[in-house]
Amino acid sequence: MFEFLEDYRVRMENMAPFACLHEKLSNSKRYEQYNIFTLTFSTMLFMLDGMIKNISSDSIAIADFLHELIYENYKEKLTSDESMEICHYILFDILQNSGFTYKYKYMNPFTSLPEYINVSLIAQDEVKIGRQKVKYKLTDQGMEMLFMTKEVHKELRIPVTQFYLKQQIEKGVFDKALHIVDDLSIMVKQLREKVNDIVRKIKINALSIKFSEYEDIHEKIFEQFKRDEEEFKNLVFLLEEKKNIIESVSSGKRTEEERKALILLYEISGRLGFIVNEHKRLFIDKLDLQRIYQEAIKNQISAGFMIRLNFETEILDSLINNNSSMDVNRKIIAPLLRLKRNKYFNIARVTQEQMIREESEDIIEKIEEDFQENQEENKKEQIKKRYENYKKYLSLFISNINSGSEISLKEVLKNLHDSEREDVISTFDFYSFLIMFHQAGEINLNEAYRDSEDIIIEDYDEVHIEHLLTDVRDKNPLLKEFRSLLFYSNDEIITLENHIRLSNFNMKFIR
Amino acid sequence: MFVDLENVKLGARIFFRLIEKGEINSSDDRDLMKLIDNDDIKHILSALEEETGTIILHGRDRKYISARTDNKVFGYTNSELRKELHITDNEELYTCYFIILSILALFYRGEGYDMKYREFLEIEELYEFIDVKIDNFKQLQDLHELEEAMDMKFSSVVNKWDSLMIHDERKKNLKKSENSRMAYISKVLKFLCDEKLLMVEDGRIIRTSEKMDSMVTVYYTAKERKKEILDFINQAG
C-alpha cells in the first residue's frame, strides 16, 4: 500500500504512553484543586533524576517531593499523611493504572484490524521478599516518553548526547560535561535493559514469536551500538588529550582553574570508562542470543506447547459450577508448593554417643551467657556514648559554618572555650570521628538521609554516618539547603595543645 | 543408550540440590546451572523427574522443582497442609484453597508471555472478588440440597464464609485469629509469602513473585496439563 505507513506500529508504540497517560489524567476526578498532570509528570521527572543519580525512589521520597512541589505552587502545607495519600494516588492509581497494564488500541492500516500495545510507565526496583519498603523506577517506555519530550529521538539519543559531551569537553565546560556523562550512563543502562527484555521474551515465548522478529529488533539495537562505540573511543581520546595538555604544565605552576579542570577531567574519565565497559558487555549478549533462543525452544517443546488459560473462567468458575470436591482444588494447587521433605528418626542414633548435661555445666553456661549479655550491653552503651559524642562534634562544625559553607578544624577548635577544647581533644572518639568523615569521601546528603531509614537504630552495633547526619539535620534546618558534604584535609599541619599533630581538616557543604 | 556414571552423579547432584533448596539459580549455583544444559544430564534429569513424580520448571535465570499432582512422597496431604496453614478442619482448608485459586484467577488470565494480567492486587479487591463468587454460587444452587452431600464440596466454603464476620478489629494479629474472613485471607497470604510465591506491601498490596510467575506460566499453560486439570474438574463434578 503506502510505503510511508510501514512503520505504523513503531509510531503507535511511541504514541501509546502519552495517549494512555493523557486519557487516564483526563478522567481523573480526584485532587481537582491541583493540576494533577503537572504533579504526575513532575513525579516521573523526579524518578528520572533519581535514576541518573543512582538513587532509587521510594514512596517516602516521592511523598516528600510532592509535599514540596505543592507548597511551592499552592502555598499549602500538606501533612505527611496527606502527602503520602496523593503519592499513592499518583504512584498506584495513575502511573500503575491500579495494577493493570495500560492497553492502547489502534487500527492497523494494512489489515484494518484493531491491535493493542501494552504500556507500563513505572516498575518496582529492588524487590526483596519479606521487606516492606519498595523502590520504584521508570520502565523503558516511561523513560522513552520523558526523553521524547526533550525532542531527542531514541536512536539518536546516545549519539546526540555524545556530541554534546564532546562539545562541552572541547569548550572546557567540564562541570556540565560531568552531568552529560551521567545522562549517558542511564542511556546505556536502558540499552542493556532492552537487550534483557528481548532475552526474557525469547525465554518465555520462543514458540509463539518468530525468531526473525526478535532478530530485527536486536539488529537495530546493535547497529546503533556500533556507531556509539566508535564515538566513545573518540571521546576517550579527546579526554586524554585534554588531560595531557594540563599535565604538561608542572604541578606547581598550574593555575587554580587548571587544577580544578584536571580533577574534573579525571572524574569524567573514570565515569566514562565505566560506561564504555557496560557498553562493551552488550557485545557478549549478542553472541548469546542464538543459543538462548535454541535453549528456549527446546525447553518449551519439552514442557509442551503453550496455550491460553484463563484461571477465572476456565478453572475457578468451573470448580464453582461443578460444586467440585476439595481434592480437586488440592490437585490444582499442589504443583505450586515447595516439595515436602520427610524427616525420619534414624534408629542408629540410639547407639551414637550422647551428650548428657550435668547441672553444674548448666550453671557455668548460665554464667557465661550472662557475661556475654553483659559484654553486649556494655558494647551497646559504648556505641551509644560514641554516637552522642560524634553528634556533638558534627554540631560544632555545623554551628561554625559561615556564609561560605566551609569551616576548618583549626577554626572550630579556636572558637571553643579552653576547658571545652581540652575535653574534646582528649577523647579518642574525636579522632575516630575525624577519620570516619575523612574516609567517607563526598557524601550525598539526600542519599544519606534516605539510607538512614533502613538502619535499625536499636541495634547500636556501630555508628552510622547516615543516621548521624539525619539526626543532626533535624536540629539544623540550614543543612537542607546543601546537596553534599566533603571532609578533606588541606595541606596545613596543626599541633594541638596535647602535642598531637594532625592535618587541618576542612568541612565543606556543597549546594 | 550408554550412560556415563560421572554424568549420573552430576545429574543426581543437581536433582538433590533442587530438592534441598527448591530452586537453583545462576548466582548461587553457577556450576550446576552450566551442567544442566548438557544433553546427557538433561536425559538423566528427565528420567529422575519421571520416576519421582516431579517436574523441573525453567525460569528466567533459575530452575525450580515442583511435585506433580498426587505425588505421595513430595506432595502435601490435606492434613499436612492444615498444619502448615494453622487451621483445624477441612472446611477451613477448602476455604483457603478457594482463596489461593481466587488470587491466581485475578492475576493470570492470558497466554504464555502475556499470561500475567496485572502487576498488583489490593486485598479489598480480593475480598470482594471472593464474596461475589460465593454470592453467585448461592443464587444458582439450592444450599439445603447440597448440604446433605457427604463429600466436602464447594458449598462447604459458602457455609464457612457465611459463618464468619468480615473483619474483627479487636484482633491485632489476623494470622492467628479464626473468626473473620479477613483472618483467613491473611493466613493464606502469609502461607504464600512463606512459600516465596507472593509479596505483600504495606499490608494491603499483593504482588506475585518471579517464582510464582514462572511456575504458573510454565506449568499450567502446557497443553496436556491444562487438559488434565479440566478433566479433574469435570470428572469430579
Side-chain angles (χ1 to χ4, degrees), chain A residues 32 134 137 185 204 245 269 303 403 410 469 476 478:
Chain A
E32 283 180 317
V134 178
K137 63 176 181 181
S185 153
I204 300 175
I245 293 170
S269 288
S403 54
K410 198 160 114 182
L469 284 163
N476 296 280
L478 181 75

Side-chain angles (χ1 to χ4, degrees), chain B residues 69-221:
Chain B
T69 305
D70 276 339
N71 185 320
K72 297 271 188 301
V73 180
F74 294 120
Y76 292 87
T77 62
N78 283 336
S79 88
E80 284 160 344
L81 273 173
R82 284 201 304 270
K83 255 188 222 160
E84 295 283 327
L85 279 153
H86 305 286
I87 49 177
T88 46
D89 63 37
N90 276 352
E91 203 172 59
E92 290 176 287
L93 182 61
Y94 199 162
T95 307
C96 292
Y97 282 153
F98 186 64
I99 296 171
I100 295 175
L101 285 168
S102 297
I103 294 172
L104 295 177
L106 283 163
F107 272 105
Y108 306 100
R109 57 179 62 173
E111 179 178 7
Y113 176 63
D114 294 324
M115 181 161 183
K116 191 169 174 183
Y117 171 69
R118 62 193 323 172
E119 284 303 315
F120 66 85
L121 164 71
E122 293 195 45
I123 289 188
E124 289 78 9
E125 193 188 335
L126 172 64
Y127 170 77
E128 277 164 26
F129 178 85
I130 298 168
D131 216 35
V132 167
K133 288 284 171 200
I134 287 180
D135 263 356
N136 290 347
F137 178 81
K138 282 196 284 192
Q139 281 167 17
L140 285 172
Q141 314 278 342
D142 181 347
L143 275 183
H144 289 295
E145 199 180 293
L146 293 165
E147 274 169 14
E148 286 166 15
M150 295 294 282
D151 197 6
M152 184 66 66
K153 297 276 189 179
F154 183 70
S155 40
S156 54
V157 176
V158 180
N159 291 334
K160 182 75 199 171
W161 195 253
D162 278 348
S163 72
L164 299 166
M165 67 171 94
I166 298 175
H167 174 56
D168 184 350
E169 60 182 355
R170 297 163 306 169
K171 304 277 192 220
K172 291 278 177 256
N173 189 350
L174 280 182
K175 288 153 216 149
K176 286 189 180 165
S177 117
E178 275 163 5
N179 61 350
S180 74
R181 297 171 188 176
M182 290 310 274
Y184 280 91
I185 292 181
S186 290
K187 274 177 201 287
V188 168
L189 293 179
K190 160 93 173 55
F191 171 69
L192 294 177
C193 286
D194 291 346
E195 289 283 323
K196 296 195 169 27
L197 294 169
L198 287 186
M199 290 155 286
V200 180
E201 260 173 71
D202 297 335
R204 65 186 185 97
I205 305 273
I206 305 165
R207 290 186 196 264
T208 55
S209 66
E210 196 196 323
K211 179 180 177 184
M212 173 87 120
D213 293 343
S214 301
M215 295 186 88
V216 172
T217 44
V218 178
Y219 186 83
Y220 296 105
T221 52

Side-chain angles (χ1 to χ4, degrees), chain A residues 392-393 396 412-428 430-431 496-500:
Chain A
K392 188 171 82 185
Y393 306 142
L396 280 179
V412 170
L413 293 175
K414 201 175 93 186
N415 292 341
L416 292 175
H417 291 297
D418 288 351
S419 59
E420 215 179 337
R421 184 167 54 246
E422 208 181 302
D423 278 352
V424 169
I425 63 173
S426 59
T427 331
F428 168 77
F430 178 62
Y431 302 98
L496 306 180
E497 281 137 355
N498 54 4
H499 307 295
I500 288 179

Side-chain angles (χ1 to χ4, degrees), chain A residues 191-201 285, chain B residues 60:
Chain A
L191 203 59
R192 163 156 287 280
E193 285 209 1
K194 208 174 245 174
V195 175
N196 287 344
D197 200 44
I198 297 174
V199 169
R200 188 164 63 97
K201 282 185 182 167
D285 293 342
Chain B
R60 204 191 311 173

Side-chain angles (χ1 to χ4, degrees), chain A residues 381-422:
Chain A
E381 278 308 309
Q382 269 177 10
I383 303 276
K384 262 189 196 175
K385 205 174 147 198
R386 176 168 300 159
Y387 181 79
E388 289 307 318
N389 280 339
Y390 279 16
K391 209 158 87 177
K392 188 171 82 185
Y393 306 142
L394 183 59
S395 302
L396 280 179
F397 274 94
I398 292 168
S399 62
N400 274 289
I401 290 261
N402 45 32
S403 54
S405 324
E406 189 162 355
I407 183 83
S408 71
L409 170 64
K410 198 160 114 182
E411 286 171 282
V412 170
L413 293 175
K414 201 175 93 186
N415 292 341
L416 292 175
H417 291 297
D418 288 351
S419 59
E420 215 179 337
R421 184 167 54 246
E422 208 181 302

Side-chain angles (χ1 to χ4, degrees), chain A residues 223-236:
Chain A
E223 271 169 29
Q224 177 198 340
F225 171 78
K226 276 180 212 157
R227 288 195 302 269
D228 301 342
E229 203 199 16
E230 205 46 47
E231 195 48 42
F232 274 129
K233 277 185 197 157
N234 294 338
L235 279 167
V236 172

Side-chain angles (χ1 to χ4, degrees), chain A residues 339-353:
Chain A
L339 301 189
K340 180 183 73 177
R341 303 232 327 252
N342 294 308
K343 289 178 182 170
Y344 297 101
F345 176 64
N346 181 357
I347 194 74
R349 277 193 73 88
V350 297
T351 60
Q352 283 174 1
E353 193 179 346

Side-chain angles (χ1 to χ4, degrees), chain A residues 59 88 91-93 96-101 103 118 120 124 127-134 136 196-197 200-201 203-205 208 291 295 298-299 302-312 314-342, chain B residues 19-20 37 39 42 58 60 65-67 69-70 72-76 78 80-81 84 90 94 97-98 101 104-105 108-113 115 117-120 129 133 137 146 151-155 191 195 197 199-205 207 215-217 219-223 225-226 229-230 232-234 236-237:
Chain A
S59 50
H88 278 165
L91 217 50
F92 290 95
D93 293 25
Q96 295 184 85
N97 194 26
S98 308
F100 298 94
T101 307
K103 275 198 189 309
N118 287 344
S120 302
Q124 286 181 299
V127 182
K128 281 187 185 153
I129 291 174
R131 202 172 146 175
Q132 295 281 315
K133 218 164 109 188
V134 178
Y136 297 91
N196 287 344
D197 200 44
R200 188 164 63 97
K201 282 185 182 167
K203 283 191 175 179
I204 300 175
N205 232 17
S208 45
R291 186 187 60 77
E295 266 323 301
K298 270 197 249 170
N299 286 337
S302 67
F305 284 86
M306 296 283 205
I307 44 156
R308 193 175 183 81
L309 175 68
N310 184 324
F311 248 97
E312 181 179 358
E314 295 183 80
I315 295 187
L316 194 71
D317 288 348
S318 304
L319 284 169
I320 298 172
N321 293 338
N322 285 349
N323 194 18
S324 308
S325 74
M326 186 173 73
D327 222 38
V328 179
N329 287 256
R330 185 186 57 75
K331 283 179 180 170
I332 296 171
I333 293 165
L336 283 180
L337 308 179
R338 78 193 124 90
L339 301 189
K340 180 183 73 177
R341 303 232 327 252
N342 294 308
Chain B
I19 292 174
E20 185 195 359
D37 287 333
D39 280 343
K42 264 189 188 163
H58 307 268
R60 204 191 311 173
I65 192 163
S66 166
T69 305
D70 276 339
K72 297 271 188 301
V73 180
F74 294 120
Y76 292 87
N78 283 336
E80 284 160 344
L81 273 173
E84 295 283 327
N90 276 352
Y94 199 162
Y97 282 153
F98 186 64
L101 285 168
L104 295 177
Y108 306 100
R109 57 179 62 173
E111 179 178 7
Y113 176 63
M115 181 161 183
Y117 171 69
R118 62 193 323 172
E119 284 303 315
F120 66 85
F129 178 85
K133 288 284 171 200
F137 178 81
L146 293 165
D151 197 6
M152 184 66 66
K153 297 276 189 179
F154 183 70
S155 40
F191 171 69
E195 289 283 323
L197 294 169
M199 290 155 286
V200 180
E201 260 173 71
D202 297 335
R204 65 186 185 97
I205 305 273
R207 290 186 196 264
M215 295 186 88
V216 172
T217 44
Y219 186 83
Y220 296 105
T221 52
K223 198 172 178 180
R225 261 180 240 128
K226 177 177 172 181
I229 291 168
L230 297 182
F232 290 150
I233 299 171
N234 294 327

